[in-house]
Amino acid sequence: MNSQNQAVAKQTHTLGISLCLGSMFIFAVQDSITKVLVQDMAVAQFVMVRYWVFALFAVGWVAWRGGVRRALYTQKPGLQIARSLLSVAEIAIFNLSLRYLGLAEAHALLAVFPLIAIALASPMLGEKVGLRRWMAVAAGFAGTLIILRPGLEVFKPEAFIALSAAVCFAFYNLITRFVSAAGDSFNTNMLYMALVGCISATLFGIPEWREPSLDEWLMMAVLSVTGIFGHLLLVKALEYAPASVLQPFNYSLLVFATVFGVLLFAEIPDLPTLIGSAIITGSGLYVIMQGQNGR
């Protein structure tokens, strides 16, 4: 590659990274809004509203980009339904965790999901996981224990809510990789996630329904629109830079969440949370680098 091509690649990668950072910022804004909503509203209710908006968008997007009938065809219908239900569960469980945990603490625990996925990839997908990545996984779990502090008076059982969301997200990612490798397209993955998610969220949301206040309607509207916009930015980012380049910048979400927690909710992370977060983030970044090296 000559110097001119290298310069062009660098510029497109920079644009991709900027879009990725923008999407992470939006997701942090979403979680800040969610933290307000979840104090007085059932999680199932506003998750349902989010999925209604997402389903409308997904059907429109797929109709525009290839057709709904074509996207509905899947090699693995059972797995598509399972991954979609896992996505709903992850969102709902993580949102619930924000009722009890600070933004930084919840995101630090959720950030362990790539390490859980690595640990599960060997038995579920038959992937070879080298010694170095196993060591990084062990270090990440040690960081999780530092945050949890089991056996100490400051231990929070509610932290297992966020950890449960991380487990759901890890399984979701593994199944997504499997169905994508089997031939299902991005449109198929998105359409099933939207439709199955909308149906399941509605089944749980309708019984919990109460008339929202004007402020709650506005927050749910912002939550729904920014969710779509954030994911579009992330999709666009992948057009300008490969996933291997963007992956490390996904951890900026933890930084943004911490900043919003401090500024909006006066949540000052304690030292164990900061240390554990640093270990989890470092382990995740190390796993990414080792994966790029094939180790």
Side-chain angles (χ1 to χ4, degrees):
M1 183 183 293
N2 59 41
S3 58
Q4 184 177 1
N5 289 340
Q6 288 178 335
V8 172
K10 184 176 181 180
Q11 287 179 345
T12 56
H13 285 186
T14 300
L15 178 56
I17 291 168
S18 300
L19 292 171
C20 179
L21 290 173
S23 69
M24 295 301 113
F25 180 85
I26 289 174
F27 294 152
V29 170
Q30 278 194 292
D31 289 336
S32 300
I33 295 172
T34 297
K35 188 167 180 63
V36 176
L37 279 174
V38 78
Q39 302 305 319
D40 299 309
M41 180 178 284
V43 170
Q45 180 172 350
F46 62 82
V47 169
M48 176 181 65
V49 173
R50 283 185 61 180
Y51 266 94
W52 285 349
V53 176
F54 178 48
L56 288 173
F57 167 78
V59 171
W61 172 277
V62 170
W64 175 50
R65 298 296 292 264
V68 173
R69 180 178 297 180
R70 181 179 178 184
L72 281 173
Y73 176 76
T74 171
Q75 300 282 350
K76 305 288 183 181
L79 288 178
Q80 280 290 358
I81 293 172
R83 66 176 284 276
S84 301
L85 292 175
L86 281 168
S87 176
V88 178
E90 183 272 325
I91 291 172
I93 293 170
F94 182 73
N95 287 351
L96 179 62
S97 75
L98 294 176
R99 181 179 292 168
Y100 307 104
L101 303 175
L103 285 170
E105 192 174 11
H107 273 284
L109 293 169
L110 183 66
V112 79
F113 85 85
L115 304 175
I116 298 173
I118 288 290
L120 294 172
S122 179
M124 287 185 62
L125 301 181
E127 293 184 3
K128 183 179 179 181
V129 180
L131 177 61
R132 294 181 181 180
R133 286 203 284 174
W134 276 121
M135 292 174 64
V137 169
F141 289 147
T144 305
L145 289 175
I146 291 174
I147 296 174
L148 292 177
R149 284 158 281 183
L152 301 180
E153 290 183 1
V154 290
F155 168 66
K156 294 181 180 179
E158 297 89 350
F160 282 103
I161 301 175
L163 273 181
S164 298
V167 172
C168 289
F169 203 29
F171 275 105
Y172 163 82
N173 276 270
L174 288 172
I175 296 176
T176 299
R177 283 161 55 186
F178 187 84
V179 296
S180 297
D184 284 355
S185 66
F186 170 80
N187 281 357
T188 297
N189 290 341
M190 181 171 69
L191 187 61
Y192 271 88
M193 185 167 68
L195 295 181
V196 174
C198 182
I199 293 169
S200 58
T202 300
L203 290 175
F204 284 96
I206 290 295
E208 299 290 339
W209 182 266
R210 68 162 176 80
E211 184 60 31
S213 66
L214 178 60
D215 287 344
E216 288 171 335
W217 273 120
L218 289 173
M219 284 189 284
M220 285 194 292
V222 172
L223 198 62
S224 302
V225 174
T226 53
I228 292 171
F229 189 58
H231 281 94
L232 283 177
L233 282 183
L234 200 53
V235 170
K236 200 67 179 175
L238 289 166
E239 294 181 12
Y240 292 101
S244 58
V245 172
L246 298 179
Q247 277 179 325
F249 295 94
N250 291 337
Y251 283 98
S252 64
L253 177 55
L254 177 55
V255 177
F256 291 137
T258 302
V259 171
F260 283 135
V262 173
L263 295 180
L264 301 179
F265 304 102
E267 298 170 350
I268 309 298
D270 58 18
L271 186 58
T273 298
L274 292 174
I275 293 173
S277 302
I279 293 173
I280 292 170
T281 302
S283 300
L285 292 173
Y286 185 78
V287 163
I288 291 169
M289 290 187 294
Q290 293 303 310
Q292 291 171 358
N293 294 330
R295 300 174 182 174

